[in-house]
Amino acid sequence: MKENPLIIGIETSCDETALALIQNGKILVSLVSSQVKDHAKFGGVIPEIAARKHLEVISHLYEDLLLQAGVKESDIDFITVTQGPGLVGALLVGNLFAKGLAANLRIPLLPVNHVHAHVHGALLSLEEGKKNEDIFPCLSLVVSGGHTNLFYMKSPIHFELVSQSLDDACGECFDKVGKMLGLPYPGGPIIEKTARKGDPTKFPMPKMMTKTKTLDFSYSGLKTHLYYLLKEQETPLSEETLANICASFQDNAFEQLVRRLKQACNLFPEVKSILIAGGVAANLRFRELLSKDLKIPAIFPALLYCSDNAAMVAAYGEAIYKAKGEAGLKQDLSFESYSRYHELPEGGL
Ligand code: KG4
Ligand code: ZN
């Protein structure tokens, strides 16, 4: 294989169909077809609809990708695809598309973990000239709709799970609280926008997970607190009250993340940086609170690489190839999609 192979990334773990091409650290094209509008009327993602929508668009998106990049399919050297975790029906569409492509083009296929791939969304946004030695060892925090996972990393492909949410993910909590407030799905972006006009001190909320010895996270208590708080309010909420509740909730949700990162920095004093990734990393208030409170530099993805995309999947594939060469790529197409993080296959990436 070439020293700098042309790699296609494929992502269908939830409600975004995404394809991207990367070569030598440069994203040639990254396309995302979002289904948010199809699920918004239900207030959350409907797995069956997600799978069917992926099937509808993936071939067209592939043709657009080649056209926009100005490459032929025979130029592609290998494929990286999200194997899991995610919605199994949705993953199956991307995994089967990838397997078909690999068989047809006779090229290797590399199945990867979606949560780990998110971290490469942040690594894609590094300042030019930054080397691995400047970044690693590091901590990485993936905060998305499905996960709140903290990792210790010695290299771009080494992930040691330090802690995770015991119940709801942070983004999931934003979505559920958004629904309680009568806001459209997904809750995260609209809560952030509404909170800009609010005062985060107006509705003090209890700090979560202050007594635990581990660095685990929890968001179901905060969700329940909001449920009872809303029962006490006059409805419909005034614009001012809505903004104040959003601002207070948002700051409380982020206080837990910032506190855990500070504790983790004390536990691992050798870390040189903190990578933040996942949909919630797009939140500007979160970025502001983190940069104010952390001594170690936090690296965030560019906004377009926070939520689900295939550039991060392709970039992760490239990092694995750089570290392991052709031996790191699978020739066996019999792998299975999986739904949960702890089902990550042994030796899986
Ligand atoms: O990474 P992502 O696209 O999908 C998963 O892998 O889950 O993350 C989606 C999650 C949703 O819960 C959404 O509400 C949240 O990220 N999110 C935000 C913001 N933008 C997206 N949460 C807070 N503030 C935002 N600006
Ligand atoms: Zn994701």
Side-chain angles (χ1 to χ4, degrees), residues 22 25-27 117-131 135 274-278 281-282 287 298-307 309 311-312 315-316 318:
I22 193 171
K26 188 169 168 275
I27 299 295
H118 263 299
V119 173
H120 284 265
L123 288 169
L124 264 173
S125 312
L126 287 184
E127 286 162 42
E128 226 169 285
K130 282 259 183 211
K131 298 195 181 71
I135 307 291
I274 297 171
L275 306 175
I276 311 287
R287 293 179 180 217
I299 298 163
F300 290 91
L303 289 183
L304 76 164
Y305 298 142
C306 288
S307 348
N309 65 87
M312 66 187 198
Y316 187 25
E318 186 169 66

Side-chain angles (χ1 to χ4, degrees), residues 11 13-14 16 85 114-115 118 142-147 278-279 306-309 312:
E11 158 61 41
S13 67
C14 191
E16 263 96 27
H114 175 81
V115 183
H118 263 299
V142 179
V143 239
S144 68
H147 296 87
C306 288
S307 348
D308 290 348
N309 65 87
M312 66 187 198

Side-chain angles (χ1 to χ4, degrees), residues 33-209:
S33 169
S34 175
Q35 306 172 359
V36 160
K37 285 202 188 87
D38 300 298
H39 301 286
K41 54 181 172 282
F42 303 104
V45 177
I46 308 293
E48 181 64 21
I49 295 178
R52 287 173 192 271
K53 288 280 163 191
H54 286 308
L55 200 55
E56 243 173 69
V57 305
I58 196 161
S59 307
H60 304 294
L61 209 64
Y62 177 63
E63 280 166 24
D64 284 354
L65 184 83
L66 297 180
L67 256 171
Q68 289 190 32
V71 301
K72 301 188 293 296
E73 48 173 28
S74 55
D75 296 332
I76 302 173
D77 293 299
F78 78 85
I79 305 163
T80 307
V81 65
T82 297
Q83 181 184 4
L87 305 170
V88 167
L91 286 162
L92 269 174
V93 177
N95 286 189
L96 291 174
F97 185 84
K99 288 179 187 185
L101 202 60
N104 194 30
L105 300 176
R106 296 173 201 277
I107 55 176
L109 173 57
L110 175 62
V112 295
N113 179 286
H114 175 81
V115 183
H116 298 176
H118 263 299
V119 173
H120 284 265
L123 288 169
L124 264 173
S125 312
L126 287 184
E127 286 162 42
E128 226 169 285
K130 282 259 183 211
K131 298 195 181 71
N132 279 351
E133 307 86 88
D134 305 324
I135 307 291
F136 299 95
C138 76
L139 289 165
S140 64
L141 178 69
V142 179
V143 239
S144 68
H147 296 87
T148 310
N149 285 18
L150 178 66
F151 298 100
Y152 179 81
M153 297 175 70
K154 289 185 197 155
S155 81
I157 67 162
H158 168 259
F159 291 85
E160 246 172 77
L161 185 65
V162 175
S163 62
Q164 59 187 322
S165 178
L166 301 176
D167 38 60
D168 290 356
C170 182
E172 182 181 2
C173 184
F174 271 82
D175 295 338
K176 288 178 175 170
V177 167
K179 199 170 180 176
M180 285 188 228
L181 290 167
L183 299 170
Y185 172 84
I190 185 86
I191 288 179
E192 178 182 15
K193 195 166 162 229
T194 313
R196 278 188 214 132
K197 288 174 253 145
D199 178 347
T201 63
K202 287 284 181 207
F203 288 92
M205 297 182 189
K207 285 188 186 179
M208 300 295 159
M209 300 291 277

